[in-house]
Amino acid sequence: MISAVPDAHWNKLPHRGNKSPTGPLSRERFVSGGASKTASTPGTHEEKEEREHHMSRKVRTAIFPVAGLGTRFLPATKATPKELLPVIDTPLIQYAINEAVEAGVERMVFVSHPSKSAIERHVMDDARLRSELHAKGKDEMAQELRENSFTTPEDDVVFTMQHEPLGLGHAVLCAAKLALPGPVAVILPDDLILGERGALSELTHAYQELDAGHLVATMEVAEQDVNKYGVLDITERRGPAVLARGMVEKPDPQDAPSREAVVGRYVLDEAIFEALRTQEPGAGGEIQLTDAIARSAEACGGLAGYRFSGQRFDCGSKAGMLSATLYLAASDPEYAEVLADFVASQRMPSAA
């Protein structure tokens, strides 16, 4: 049996308005907007039951597993956590935080490592730095920093440590005693998903409509790539959603039950924590989250997938980081000349 006793500390500290690739986010807009749907008149017995059902499936906690050492990006990650590596000028972790804010999450739990204190420094407000910026007349920059930081006492953020690399499942288990009641979201910052609507918002909305206990983000991959992912064994399709009897981890292409691959966004019934406590270590002695999802799915209402509408980049790889950077640069007029000059230079004939 696996146990996790988190050495957590709290920062009652989310946002007044984070800036995202698709525009500024307003915490008031998303949180109060969600509340207004339930603050209606009593209505019929059926309406009351429906409201209670939706409230019981509200995702109030987001877990960010950020303890990994980022060895694929060494030496860059020797001193800088990989989650703070920027895609142009925005760290990966900020994109993930923006998604959680947009989805109306109340509490954010960062499962980090003692060597990665820089993540907390990024997440938290730095009043001294803002004061220095104001003194230099850089008011707009100071305001942007404020809008992209957590501060006390308004916000509910917790940092806890995963001291040993025992797998993604163990990282999620470290947050068990810190999560609010009800289902939880798990966001892997390495999976950057860009779109008009955040992938987590799409998942939490779909979770209200589906009967499944666990919901995972999916995308269709090429047949030759299924061995890089967990793949769903599908029983039924409902538009962008699918119901599944289980998942197969990194199958050979000829054995894959589908091409519906699981990527780094999850909405999980709170039963996942008990499943993780009793989960036997898998490959490499790690506690696998996908194994615990598969084991507990039937007992908590089943497993489903949702094909998000955005574009996903594997920023756990150098190629993925480069692709994401080029994608955002191509959509920003500020970089049009730089990209055009680079493309033109590649077309120039080489000297004889």
Side-chain angles (χ1 to χ4, degrees):
M1 178 177 293
I2 301 296
S3 63
V5 181
D7 49 346
H9 62 279
W10 297 77
N11 293 292
K12 282 303 237 178
L13 89 241
H15 309 351
R16 294 183 178 84
N18 266 347
K19 187 177 180 181
S20 78
T22 56
L25 298 179
S26 166
R27 177 171 170 80
E28 289 75 19
R29 184 175 93 214
F30 293 108
V31 175
S32 64
S36 65
K37 293 181 180 180
T38 59
S40 58
T41 54
T44 65
H45 177 70
E46 289 77 10
E47 289 172 338
K48 183 179 179 181
E49 285 189 338
E50 182 177 356
R51 285 196 302 273
E52 291 175 349
H53 171 73
H54 279 266
M55 285 301 295
S56 70
R57 294 178 69 79
K58 177 176 172 56
V59 179
R60 303 174 62 198
T61 304
I63 300 169
F64 300 80
V66 292
L69 299 181
T71 53
R72 282 190 283 180
F73 281 91
L74 285 170
T77 50
K78 181 180 178 182
T80 303
K82 64 175 180 176
E83 295 81 8
L84 295 186
L85 297 179
V87 182
I88 299 185
D89 63 351
T90 303
L92 282 172
I93 191 68
Q94 192 63 51
Y95 290 100
I97 290 169
N98 291 349
E99 268 194 54
V101 172
E102 180 187 352
V105 164
E106 298 173 32
R107 176 175 295 171
M108 301 191 191
V109 182
F110 294 85
V111 182
S112 189
H113 186 272
S115 67
K116 302 177 75 173
S117 59
I119 292 178
E120 185 171 356
R121 291 201 302 274
H122 169 79
V123 169
M124 303 298 297
D125 183 35
D126 188 336
R128 178 178 295 181
L129 175 57
R130 288 191 293 105
S131 178
E132 291 176 357
L133 291 171
H134 282 302
K136 295 178 180 180
K138 299 181 179 181
D139 297 336
E140 186 175 341
M141 186 177 293
Q143 180 61 24
E144 184 174 347
L145 285 178
R146 174 66 191 89
E147 290 176 351
N148 285 277
S149 301
F150 293 115
T151 187
T152 56
E154 302 148 13
D155 304 316
D156 191 353
V157 174
V158 193
F159 285 84
T160 189
M161 298 297 117
Q162 183 187 26
H163 294 277
E164 299 179 76
L166 297 178
L168 176 58
H170 181 262
V172 172
L173 182 57
C174 287
K177 295 182 180 180
L178 306 171
L180 295 170
V184 299
V186 178
I187 305 177
L188 306 188
D190 282 1
D191 277 332
L192 175 60
I193 302 176
L194 301 174
E196 287 298 316
R197 189 180 186 190
L200 187 60
S201 289
E202 293 183 328
L203 260 68
T204 55
H205 178 77
Y207 193 74
Q208 296 282 358
E209 308 301 323
L210 295 168
D211 293 328
H214 298 324
L215 178 64
V216 297
T218 66
M219 66 179 190
E220 187 176 47
V221 299
E223 183 177 355
Q224 65 268 23
D225 291 331
V226 294
N227 59 357
K228 302 174 183 177
Y229 301 90
V231 177
L232 293 184
D233 187 357
I234 296 170
T235 59
E236 182 182 346
R237 292 187 179 271
R238 298 180 185 177
V242 296
L243 302 183
R245 63 172 60 90
M247 71 174 80
V248 180
E249 188 67 24
K250 298 181 179 180
D252 290 332
Q254 64 271 20
D255 299 325
S258 75
R259 292 163 52 198
E260 206 73 24
V262 178
V263 297
R265 301 292 184 276
Y266 310 80
V267 175
L268 306 174
D269 185 273
E270 58 190 335
I272 191 65
F273 295 124
E274 187 56 37
L276 287 168
R277 289 186 184 99
T278 58
Q279 181 65 47
E280 293 294 327
E286 296 185 347
I287 306 301
Q288 301 296 333
L289 180 62
T290 51
D291 290 346
I293 291 173
R295 283 180 55 232
S296 58
E298 185 176 355
C300 69
L303 173 64
Y306 187 88
R307 190 179 294 181
F308 52 87
S309 62
Q311 184 160 347
R312 177 252 186 181
F313 299 90
D314 176 13
C315 289
S317 70
K318 297 173 187 177
M321 281 288 284
L322 178 59
S323 294
T325 301
L326 291 173
Y327 177 88
L328 286 175
S331 63
D332 191 331
E334 181 178 349
Y335 305 108
E337 185 177 348
V338 174
L339 292 175
D341 288 348
F342 175 77
V343 171
S345 72
Q346 299 306 298
R347 292 174 177 167
M348 293 175 65
S350 58

